[in-house]
Amino acid sequence: MATVSMSWCLPNLTSSNRRRVNRYSGMAFASGNKETSTCLGVQITEGLGNLPKIVLTSAHGSEAELYLFGGCITSWKVACKDLLFVRPDAVFNGQKPISGGIPHCFPQFGPGPMQQHGFARNMTWSIADSENVEGNPVVTLELKDGPSSHAMWDFNFQALYKVILDKRSLSTELKITNKDKKPFSFNTALHTYFSASVTGASVRGLKGCKTLNKDPDPKNPLEGKEERDVITFPGFVDCVYLEAPDELHLDNGLGDTISIRNSNWSDAVLWNPYLTMEACYKDFVCVENAKIGNVQLEPEESWTATQHLSIS
């Protein structure tokens, strides 16, 4: 398999944002071609709120977009159809997490001693590496500890997030490494928002799983067992599925069936806010790969999990 290294282009960036991207990236930028529109399927441009955004385009025509802020994938298009959803109330100001797409929950999933879902979705990631494999763009983002993370979670760490775009698939690999001299523990999730018609959406593959149902009381989830072959979204849904299988299937109610495969994401979460987000709840469902129990890492140990989204 041929691998071609790529150099970066910075089209349509203001001078201040170009300086920001250079500061965030660990890569050298090619001189003399900062106005080129694409570089082997990768483009860095100015997104909403003037935030740096990476656009991936495969040789087969599929596209994906991800923001350095939060390391958040906000779009995945196959045949010009976006399979992800960004909420209309999403804020792109570099202060609040981006609500939609595939946000990170790390080093905490849900509520806890630090801010909701941790800090990774509210920090700026850097560009660590890129390549183009047979027409498929690949980019790796990196997040390291800093003063703001230490204020909430006093450990040295490295997170690497590889994103691979193929003709009809979007794959990610998250690798967390303990860079401290003492052990630490964390939990994590990919809070994936899929475009959907909520009245027609359904998920298969979770029958038999132990459940922690947060409806009606999120603070006191009810333990149970999933008995349904096909799970729908008739109202408010917020349910954790422990020891979930490594492949689920989402019918988004819009004519698409999406395979959600994973390795090492041991759990799954289904969520739709129903009337608490009346403006948009009908247009998405969340099917999240998660690690609900704590991952314990000794110094220099790593934990890696992959997600592979594909459409038939």
Side-chain angles (χ1 to χ4, degrees):
M1 182 178 289
T3 300
V4 182
S5 297
M6 65 172 68
S7 58
W8 290 95
C9 302
L10 300 177
N12 305 321
L13 283 176
T14 64
S15 58
S16 61
N17 241 1
R18 186 173 291 120
R19 287 193 296 271
R20 291 173 66 192
V21 173
N22 273 281
R23 187 171 74 249
Y24 297 149
S25 175
M27 300 178 61
F29 292 97
S31 60
N33 61 350
K34 290 185 178 180
E35 301 305 322
T36 305
S37 60
T38 58
C39 271
L40 297 178
V42 176
Q43 179 186 18
I44 301 180
T45 187
E46 203 165 75
L48 295 173
N50 299 324
L51 295 176
K53 179 180 71 174
I54 301 172
V55 179
L56 304 179
T57 306
S58 79
H60 315 288
S62 57
E63 296 182 357
E65 298 179 358
L66 59 154
Y67 280 77
L68 294 183
F69 181 74
C72 185
I73 300 171
T74 54
S75 178
W76 169 41
K77 292 180 181 178
V78 176
C80 299
K81 186 175 186 179
D82 205 332
L83 299 165
L84 300 181
F85 181 80
V86 175
R87 285 166 29 190
D89 62 345
V91 177
F92 292 79
N93 62 3
Q95 302 297 318
K96 294 181 63 177
I98 297 170
S99 299
I102 310 180
H104 289 275
C105 303
F106 172 84
Q108 172 185 289
F109 175 67
M114 65 188 78
Q115 63 192 33
Q116 177 83 357
H117 292 319
F119 51 71
R121 64 182 188 151
N122 205 32
M123 295 179 66
T124 299
W125 297 55
S126 64
I127 303 167
D129 196 12
S130 69
E131 57 186 337
N132 189 292
V133 181
E134 298 182 350
N136 301 318
V138 182
V139 64
T140 302
L141 303 186
E142 180 182 37
L143 182 67
K144 291 183 177 180
D145 55 280
S148 60
S149 70
H150 278 280
M152 292 176 276
W153 195 62
D154 194 19
F155 297 101
N156 301 328
F157 72 92
Q158 179 196 51
L160 292 174
Y161 188 53
K162 180 184 289 187
V163 180
I164 306 166
L165 179 67
D166 205 333
K167 181 179 181 179
R168 303 184 70 83
S169 67
L170 179 70
S171 303
T172 64
E173 178 187 274
L174 178 64
K175 181 179 181 181
I176 307 296
T177 301
N178 183 348
K179 293 294 186 179
D180 214 296
K181 296 181 179 180
K182 54 186 181 292
F184 63 62
S185 64
F186 65 91
N187 46 49
T188 182
L190 295 178
H191 198 330
T192 308
Y193 289 70
F194 291 97
S195 292
S197 171
V198 73
T199 56
S202 62
V203 176
R204 294 178 180 268
L206 290 166
K207 185 177 181 178
C209 290
K210 180 180 178 181
T211 58
L212 299 175
N213 194 345
K214 298 182 180 182
D215 179 28
D217 185 358
K219 295 182 179 180
N220 295 288
L222 299 174
E223 294 187 14
K225 182 179 179 181
E226 183 56 72
E227 302 291 351
R228 295 170 292 178
D229 288 310
V230 180
I231 302 166
T232 57
F233 297 81
F236 177 78
V237 174
D238 189 357
C239 191
V240 174
Y241 293 80
L242 300 176
E243 299 301 323
D246 58 12
E247 184 170 12
L248 305 177
H249 291 93
L250 167 67
D251 180 339
N252 65 11
L254 300 171
D256 309 300
T257 299
I258 300 170
S259 166
I260 305 168
R261 291 193 286 114
N262 83 87
S263 66
N264 220 22
W265 291 106
S266 58
D267 312 302
V269 181
L270 302 187
W271 182 67
N272 181 272
Y274 196 48
L275 296 178
T276 60
M277 291 184 187
E278 194 168 2
C280 64
Y281 80 91
K282 296 179 181 179
D283 299 321
F284 76 91
V285 296
C286 285
V287 184
E288 309 169 34
N289 277 317
K291 190 72 173 179
I292 302 299
N294 283 338
V295 178
Q296 179 84 11
L297 289 182
E298 297 296 322
E300 297 306 319
E301 283 188 342
S302 297
W303 173 87
T304 303
T306 64
Q307 174 173 274
H308 182 75
L309 308 178
S310 62
I311 183 170
S312 55

